[in-house]
């Protein structure tokens, strides 16, 4: 069962979200041919350290604990890529996902970047994935059930000729990175029956569509973490942590210039 957060708690989560946004600004400035994914990870690690924030990804349990503070996934890698010596190359796309805990509250966000010039169909994949996240945020303030939002997400992606990954979903977030409910980017009858939830003020979720150019199917690489598309075609991933409020959806991992006029929590 999901936990509903007070405006005070949402304001605290906004602080964590803003730090995650700032870390992504640093990442964006490093995206260029020749940069290694380990260099990007190191900059984010240092940034969280300097701000007394606890990285959420490092040590996540698995067959081997996740070894880095970011997941960096290039081209056909969907999510959970491990930073390393790989150099970014012109024409790549690179998804960076990271999160931190600040004063006990979590934030989580992901962006996919183009490295230099990319092919037009790959640019469309980035645009559609970004747009479907924006659509989901907007609809979360207008629909009453998540299944209604997820259905429209699925339709939007399909109408654009791409497929939504079903093997991984978004999540509730608060004191922990992964809390109830699960937040899929598609619907099926099982979800409508057993997983659906109401979009009520106080709900805080991470929405994170993963969109593949070809098949929705993914498989894990031998490192036990990195997920790749089954057909080797590219995949994109965007994510925001959002709070549902009486006034509308509040994007906790957006930049300071995107702060809504009715910013909650300011009356305290
Ligand atoms: Mg997430």
């Amino acid at each position: 069962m999901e936990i509903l957060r007070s405006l005070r708690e949402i304001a605290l989560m906004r602080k964590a979200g803003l730090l995650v946004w700032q870390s992504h600004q640093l990442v964006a400035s490093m995206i260029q041919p020749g940069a290694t994914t380990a260099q990007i990870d190191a900059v984010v690690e240092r940034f969280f350290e300097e701000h007394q924030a606890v990285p959420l990804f490092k040590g996540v349990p698995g067959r081997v604990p996740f070894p880095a503070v970011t997941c960096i996934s290039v081209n056909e890698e969907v999510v959970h890529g491990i930073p390393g010596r790989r150099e970014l190359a012109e024409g790549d796309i690179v998804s960076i996902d990271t999160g931190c805990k600040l004063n006990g509250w979590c934030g989580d966000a992901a962006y996919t970047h183009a490295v230099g010039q990319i092919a037009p169909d790959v640019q469309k994949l980035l645009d559609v994935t970004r747009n479907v996240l924006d659509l989901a945020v907007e609809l979360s303030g207008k629909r009453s059930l998540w299944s209604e939002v997820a259905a429209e997400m699925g339709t939007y992606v399909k109408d654009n000729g791409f497929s939504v990954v079903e093997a991984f979903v978004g999540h509730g977030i608060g004191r922990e990175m992964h809390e109830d409910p699960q937040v899929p980017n598609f619907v099926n009858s099982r979800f409508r029956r057993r997983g659906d939830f109401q979009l009520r003020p106080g709900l805080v979720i991470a929405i994170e569509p993963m969109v593949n150019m070809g098949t929705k199917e993914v498989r894990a690489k031998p490192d036990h973490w990195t997920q790749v598309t089954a057909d080797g075609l590219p995949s994109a991933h965007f994510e925001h942590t959002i709070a549902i409020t009486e006034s509308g959806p509040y994007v906790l991992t957006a930049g300071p210039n995107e702060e809504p006029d009715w910013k909650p929590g300011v009356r305290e």
Side-chain angles (χ1 to χ4, degrees):
M1 196 63 192
E2 65 268 19
I3 305 166
L4 298 179
R5 306 293 180 184
S6 67
L7 285 181
R8 185 188 148 272
E9 290 172 322
I10 289 169
L12 291 169
M13 289 193 73
R14 168 58 174 155
K15 293 201 165 84
L18 195 52
L19 207 60
V20 172
W21 177 83
Q22 288 175 310
S23 74
H24 276 291
Q25 301 308 110
L26 284 175
V27 166
S29 72
M30 294 184 73
I31 302 296
Q32 56 178 324
T36 71
T37 55
Q39 285 168 343
I40 295 169
D41 185 72
V43 163
V44 175
E45 181 159 35
R46 197 174 330 124
F47 179 76
F48 286 155
E49 226 172 73
E50 284 166 4
H51 291 83
Q52 285 81 49
V54 180
L56 291 174
F57 292 14
K58 200 165 196 170
V60 165
R63 187 122 35 120
V64 288
F66 193 76
V69 304
T70 58
C71 292
I72 304 189
S73 310
V74 181
N75 297 335
E76 78 286 359
E77 296 173 353
V78 180
V79 284
H80 303 167
I82 300 175
R85 279 176 299 190
R86 179 174 188 162
E87 289 184 7
L88 299 179
E90 178 89 17
D92 283 347
I93 56 169
V94 56
S95 307
I96 289 110
D97 189 354
T98 195
C100 72
K101 189 185 275 195
L102 183 68
N103 300 318
W105 295 97
C106 297
D108 186 7
Y111 292 83
T112 303
H113 300 274
V115 184
Q117 284 289 339
I118 59 172
D121 56 339
V122 181
Q123 183 62 54
K124 184 183 170 193
L125 178 70
L126 260 55
D127 294 342
V128 165
T129 313
R130 168 112 220 184
N131 291 345
V132 79
L133 173 59
D134 292 345
L135 174 72
V137 171
E138 189 200 325
L139 292 176
S140 346
K142 296 180 174 167
R143 302 288 182 265
S144 56
L145 290 170
W146 177 257
S147 59
E148 300 171 74
V149 177
E152 291 183 60
M153 292 174 81
T155 302
Y156 177 81
V157 170
K158 201 173 163 208
D159 286 351
N160 278 283
F162 299 137
S163 61
V164 170
V165 171
E166 297 182 1
F168 297 93
V169 298
H171 47 93
I173 178 167
R175 289 287 190 184
E176 303 299 328
M177 171 168 60
H178 293 136
E179 298 185 350
D180 283 343
Q182 291 203 355
V183 184
N185 306 294
F186 63 96
V187 277
N188 54 28
S189 56
R190 190 169 146 266
F191 179 76
R192 284 189 211 274
R193 242 182 7 252
R194 311 195 47 172
D196 209 356
F197 55 91
Q198 281 192 305
L199 294 161
R200 282 180 293 184
L203 182 73
V204 184
I205 53 177
I207 307 175
E208 49 177 319
M210 289 143 268
V211 176
N212 291 354
M213 185 177 280
T215 176
K216 69 182 181 187
E217 302 302 332
V218 302
R219 62 179 177 80
K221 280 173 58 163
D223 66 17
H224 305 304
W225 280 106
T226 313
Q227 303 291 322
V228 292
T229 56
D231 57 11
L233 290 176
S235 180
H237 178 210
F238 285 87
E239 175 179 24
H240 270 312
T241 298
I242 74 154
I244 308 295
T245 75
E246 299 283 0
S247 317
Y250 182 25
V251 183
L252 303 179
T253 45
N257 296 336
E258 297 160 77
E259 201 73 68
D261 317 332
W262 44 263
K263 177 181 174 179
V266 291
R267 279 154 295 173
E268 320 170 65

